[in-house]
Amino acid sequence: DGESGPAIARYSGHGNLGAWVRVTAMRMALNATRNKPRPDRPAVDADIFEFEPSPDDPELDHLKHTYRDAFRQAFLDTVARLEAADRTLLRQSVVHGLTVRELARMHGVHHATIARRIAAARDELVAGTRRVLGEHLAVSPRELDSIMMLIRSRLDVSLARALAQDE
């Protein structure tokens, strides 16, 4: 980069040069994609949490409409509380579409380790959202389960858009 000189000048000589080059190249590629216009990005934050209408199920539409704002807040709060490393892995996986094997090479660990970390981060996202919703809504456990089923069906879309906004 022009401000601090070429990236190779920052290589300290410690660690594997090949791994450093892979990580640097991946960062450059990710940075290059960040500045491109993204038509799938929502115009406003509320669009992230819009659900498709269910013409055959008015009760489901009611749940979606009633709890959309609570879900939005709980979900964004939970994303913000995730460890930075977990958010990065989820962003690389969901937003940038990197495979588990690509992420493993990039982070210098086995692909099974990355897969476990991504699964744990997703589980924490769902559990944290459920916990926050449960604390803020006066609903039965059964109704909370229904709300969470809606969330699970939109998790990737909501997560991708929420994490892409952080870039």
Side-chain angles (χ1 to χ4, degrees), residues 137-156:
L137 297 177
V139 297
S140 70
R142 184 175 178 182
E143 194 167 9
L144 186 57
D145 288 342
S146 296
I147 295 166
M148 291 306 298
M149 286 181 62
L150 290 175
I151 291 168
R152 281 189 184 271
S153 70
R154 297 285 300 178
L155 181 64
D156 279 350

Side-chain angles (χ1 to χ4, degrees), residues 19-53:
W20 182 87
V21 168
R22 277 192 305 278
V23 169
T24 301
M26 186 60 68
R27 285 182 183 158
M28 290 173 66
L30 291 174
N31 287 339
T33 64
R34 287 182 181 148
N35 298 326
K36 290 184 178 179
R38 305 225 2 219
D40 61 328
R41 267 199 179 161
V44 291
D45 185 44
D47 291 350
I48 296 171
F49 303 97
E50 291 298 326
F51 296 94
E52 300 267 334

Side-chain angles (χ1 to χ4, degrees), residues 46-89:
D47 291 350
I48 296 171
F49 303 97
E50 291 298 326
F51 296 94
E52 300 267 334
S54 305
D56 297 332
D57 194 344
E59 184 180 354
L60 185 59
D61 278 342
H62 172 73
L63 279 176
K64 290 174 181 179
H65 179 73
T66 302
Y67 298 116
R68 182 182 54 231
D69 291 338
F71 164 58
R72 175 190 305 114
Q73 194 58 53
F75 185 80
L76 292 175
D77 287 351
T78 304
V79 168
R81 287 184 187 137
L82 287 174
E83 297 281 332
D86 291 340
R87 278 195 313 275
T88 298
L89 274 178

Side-chain angles (χ1 to χ4, degrees), residues 111-125:
H111 64 91
T113 301
I114 290 291
R116 280 192 301 272
R117 288 177 56 194
I118 290 172
R122 285 174 163 283
D123 290 347
E124 177 54 33
L125 185 59

Side-chain angles (χ1 to χ4, degrees), residues 2 12 38 70 99 124 131 157:
S12 66
R38 305 225 2 219
T99 67
E124 177 54 33
R131 185 173 48 252
V157 172

